[in-house]
Amino acid sequence: MTELRQKRVRLAVRWLFTVLIIGFVIRSVDASALWQELAGFSPYVLVPALVLTVVQVALSAWRWRYTVERLGLPLDYGVAVREYYLATFLNQVLPGGVLGDVNRAWRHGTGAGERLSAVHGVAIERFSGQLVLVVVAISVAWLLASGQLTTGHWNGGLWLGVGILFVVVAFWLALKVGIADYLQRLRRDLYLSLLNRMVLPVQIGSSLVVLATYLGVFLCLAWGADYLDTAASVAIIAGLGSILLLSMVIPLTVAGWGIREGAAAVLWPMAGLPAEQGVALSVGYGALVLISSLPGMVFLFTGRPENG
């Protein structure tokens, strides 16, 4: 009972922390300008944006199936899509942004009778996507720093904020992988499902396409708000969106809320754009992703998947 109470307290603290960060961000920008930006979003972009999220889940589920099959575990594609929707929903409503994936690994491992390979399969599948995201985000940050991806003057003093973001994310990823990196089993599984020359191009290619769907959602929202008037504006919004996605990897809040909006408030002025525009896009993105994850509720109380 005490342990359950402690978990509830930690959950409440995480939600409170998330709300406090969002409140701080809203107070840090022009609130009236922010509401004006939010009101400017067109409802007509919801359809293409939600279609992109369906493609996103379908591709991610395929990548997961491809990864675990390299480890010798069967996974029906329909089951993979179902479980990915469930994991996405749980990641949206539970703190840390990874508990849905933990549940996905446990359910698959229980159904397949091999839990360690199932855990490695989910971890490697997620790592594949995060690795591509880090490379893209670093490239965008370099373009920002060199002044090649701005609409105004680069504020060099704010570069420290981006640097801190990358350090925190890199430390977290290194810690997560480093804890078990010494294990021979993990090294073997990394080679089989990610690092060998036949598999790596498939992993990188599929992760790039998945990332493109994430950025496509940002662009749909930006298009509906009339932020995209030139090819340069498309490149800037997509580039900044990749760094926002990277900020969400930091597991301090619920589904990245607060961290993402704070990063937007810092990044948009760095590219010569109003902070309110970035925060509005971030809020719109978070709301749309939450809506797109709702099909996962259907599978919340189903039993573990049967794999074949």
Side-chain angles (χ1 to χ4, degrees), residues 35 61 63 96 108 113 124 163 244 257 263 265:
W35 303 133
R63 183 179 63 189
H108 180 217
I124 293 169
L244 287 192
W257 283 98

Side-chain angles (χ1 to χ4, degrees), residues 288-300:
L288 192 143
V289 171
L290 176 60
I291 293 171
S292 72
S293 73
L294 293 180
M297 291 182 63
V298 177
F299 311 117
L300 187 57

